[in-house]
Amino acid sequence: MPKAKTLQLKWLALASLLNSTGAAFLWPLTTVFINKHLGESLTVAGIVLFIMSITMILGNYIGGYLFDRWNAYLTSVLGAIIATLAIILMIFCHSWPAFPILICFVSFGDGICASIINSFGNFIPSKDARCILQNRSTQLCNIIIHSCVMKKAIV
């Protein structure tokens, strides 16, 4: 009988880091794109970011619900497919009404994936490993974002 695979912290931490970093870059890039490229005001960009935040919260909720009651793997695949399809559609439809709608679908899919990553963190055998996953991925994401902002400010 094959031995059951245990969840490794390094892969889960990497997934958490990538998801957090991507989400952190999404807000400023969306704001600049809506304001400069689409010609909308910063108020409109803020409203789009607010709706993005709501869709991410809905994605977190639905991702956690499906993780508990359905299939964890298929839930993570579903979230990745939703976000990826929306990103692919944005290549062709990046005008004003389409872009905010598609970016909300990206946010929804990312919310599902973030919820799954955090839920999988509960299956790591060591309690210290769960704390490391939550704290270190957030700290690393902040370091990356701040270093990029500081580099831009210096140049």
Side-chain angles (χ1 to χ4, degrees), residues 53-132:
S53 178
I54 291 171
T55 57
M56 184 169 274
I57 291 169
L58 288 172
N60 287 141
Y61 179 77
I62 291 172
Y65 183 84
L66 292 175
F67 182 89
D68 290 337
R69 291 173 177 77
W70 190 44
N71 184 324
Y73 175 74
L74 292 178
T75 302
S76 63
V77 170
L78 176 69
I81 287 173
I82 290 171
T84 303
L85 285 177
I87 289 171
I88 290 170
L89 284 173
M90 275 196 285
I91 294 171
F92 306 105
C93 307
H94 51 271
S95 59
W96 167 241
F99 179 78
I101 294 168
L102 290 173
I103 202 74
C104 287
F105 277 102
V106 172
S107 184
F108 180 76
D110 286 347
I112 291 174
C113 291
S115 180
I116 295 301
I117 290 168
N118 292 334
S119 298
F120 272 129
N122 291 323
F123 291 104
I124 296 176
S126 168
K127 182 180 178 183
D128 292 337
R130 290 192 298 261
C131 293
I132 289 171

Side-chain angles (χ1 to χ4, degrees), residues 17-27 110 141:
L17 175 67
L18 292 175
N19 196 26
S20 298
T21 305
F25 277 115
L26 200 58
W27 284 48
D110 286 347
C141 179

